[in-house]
């Protein structure tokens, strides 16, 4: 197989949570452009429909599924995976991207907020991997799972940024080791499990922080810039494709070098 073919995603089906905007939508465009059919899932129907339209206009076969992954008790995850299986018949790539944060100093952090962050950022990726594994990847004989962690999963926040996101950092640390643990178990099913650790990208989630601290963030970034609209595309396609066939359990930071300092 030539190297261009290794990156080709024709005939593959991808499910991307939080695919309605931000980093998830950027990755949906990337996988779609490389030939994948793309299912995006998010909570807000309006945004999701708009994203589905934009993907379709770009010539990508797309479907949208409304799902609140902050509420995983009542069969949300199996319904979501079932809907994609019904439409496309298989799932080759799962990108666990939906995520959120909530800020308060650790000494005041309420358990209810902690639980909310953990449910969306940790429980949902676990349940999605389990369900996609059961319904699609294990019977199909393989697949690619990409967890969107964060460099915040490697440590605490720089003290000068006063971010106060103890639950978020904890949740992303869990995603980092979930990635390794699942990779170790599911190599036998030919399922690659890797994580992307974005640094600082402008998005709805990061806006509050970057409005206040973008100068400091850029100064602390070896490449001297924030992440942009194309900066996750290559990493996502690599980890979704045969090009990464022999790569599993790995963390790929796309952070302009922040985590190297
Ligand atoms: N922007 C950054 O700098 C940055 C850095 C590191 C990691 N990340 C991670 O990247 C991922 C995407 O974040 P983003 O920056 O694009 O933020 P964003 O807020 O623009 O996107 C979040 C996405 O998750 C979806 N989502 C939120 N709550 C949901 C719920 N309850 N159910 C279903 N979907 C839900 C939203 O609809 C949206 O599509 C997150 O996991 C985030 O932690 C972002
Ligand atoms: O590195 C990251 O994962 C993100 O930038 C987050 O840290 C959020 O932007 C922050 O939590 C908002 O308060």
């Amino acid at each position: 197989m030539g190297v261009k073919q290794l990156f080709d995603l024709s005939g593959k089906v991808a499910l991307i949570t939080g695919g309605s905007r931000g980093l998830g939508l950027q990755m949906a465009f990337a996988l779609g452009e490389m030939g994948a059919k793309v299912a995006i899932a998010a909570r807000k129907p309006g945004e999701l429909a708009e994203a589905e339209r934009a993907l379709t206009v770009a010539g990508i076969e797309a479907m949208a599924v409304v799902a609140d992954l902050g509420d995983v008790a009542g069969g949300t995850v199996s319904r979501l995976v079932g809907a994609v299986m019904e439409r496309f018949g298989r799932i080759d790539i799962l990108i666990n991207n939906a995520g959120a944060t909530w800020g308060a100093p650790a000494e005041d952090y309420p358990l209810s907020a902690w639980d909310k962050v953990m449910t969306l950022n940790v429980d949902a990726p676990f349940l999605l991997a389990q369900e996609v594994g059961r319904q699609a990847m294990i019977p199909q004989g393989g697949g690619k799972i990409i967890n969107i962690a964060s460099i915040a999963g490697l440590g605490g926040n720089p003290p000068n940024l006063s971010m106060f996101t103890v639950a978020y950092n904890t949740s992303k640390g869990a995603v980092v080791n979930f990635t390794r643990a699942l990779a170790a178990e599911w190599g036998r099913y030919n399922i690659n499990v890797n994580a992307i650790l974005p640094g600082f990208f402008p998005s709805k989630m990061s806006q509050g922080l970057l409005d206040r601290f973008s100068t400091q963030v850029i100064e602390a970034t070896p490449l001297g810039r924030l992440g942009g609209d194309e900066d996750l595309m290559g990493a996502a396609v690599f980890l979704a494709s045969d090009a990464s066939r022999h790569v599993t359990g790995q963390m790929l930071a796309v952070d302009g070098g922040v985590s190297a300092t």
Side-chain angles (χ1 to χ4, degrees):
M1 203 185 273
V3 68
K4 282 187 188 167
Q5 252 177 303
L6 288 173
F7 284 93
D8 185 24
L9 298 177
S10 303
K12 308 278 188 197
V13 174
L15 167 57
I16 304 172
T17 67
S20 62
R21 63 170 194 246
L23 307 189
L25 184 56
Q26 178 182 155
M27 293 185 283
F29 272 106
L31 269 47
E33 189 182 329
M34 294 306 287
K37 295 171 191 160
V38 173
I40 53 174
R43 193 180 35 166
K44 295 188 186 147
E47 249 177 24
L48 195 58
E50 208 174 297
E52 183 190 16
R53 245 188 325 273
L55 289 162
T56 307
V57 166
I60 294 163
E61 192 171 342
M63 81 177 284
V65 187
V66 177
D68 182 358
L69 296 169
D71 179 11
V72 288
T76 312
V77 167
S78 64
R79 266 198 306 278
L80 165 58
V81 174
V84 182
M85 289 298 286
E86 197 181 311
R87 165 82 183 268
F88 290 136
R90 56 186 298 118
I91 299 173
D92 304 281
I93 301 153
L94 166 67
I95 304 190
N96 276 315
N97 166 79
T101 184
W102 197 87
E107 61 274 27
D108 300 326
Y109 210 93
L111 179 61
S112 57
W114 176 277
D115 286 343
K116 246 175 109 165
V117 171
M118 292 300 164
T119 301
L120 179 63
N121 294 7
V122 184
D123 298 10
F126 161 61
L127 291 169
L128 271 151
Q130 189 176 56
E131 199 63 38
V132 168
R134 283 180 186 153
Q135 288 196 41
M137 292 180 180
I138 295 172
Q140 283 164 207
K144 302 279 191 176
I145 297 175
I146 304 170
N147 296 318
I148 306 305
S150 168
I151 57 169
L154 300 174
N157 301 319
N160 62 329
L161 299 190
S162 56
M163 285 163 69
F164 302 122
T165 57
V166 66
Y168 182 80
N169 294 59
T170 305
S171 74
K172 294 299 187 178
V175 173
V176 165
N177 219 38
F178 168 57
T179 300
R180 297 191 184 108
L182 192 65
E185 277 201 35
W186 281 7
R188 69 197 165 114
Y189 295 130
N190 191 34
I191 298 172
N192 302 59
V193 188
N194 291 290
I196 295 176
L197 281 54
F200 295 93
F201 285 69
S203 74
K204 190 162 178 196
M205 192 181 90
S206 65
Q207 190 181 347
L209 171 76
L210 293 176
D211 281 352
R212 286 178 297 151
F213 294 116
S214 63
T215 308
Q216 290 91 320
V217 168
I218 290 166
E219 274 169 10
T221 304
L223 290 177
R225 56 192 282 278
L226 300 174
D229 288 345
E230 295 166 355
D231 288 335
L232 278 185
M233 287 185 159
V237 170
F238 172 61
L239 293 177
S241 70
D242 281 339
S244 61
R245 198 187 281 163
H246 206 48
V247 177
T248 198
Q250 300 306 304
M251 310 302 122
L252 177 51
V254 180
D255 67 346
V258 174
S259 60
T261 67

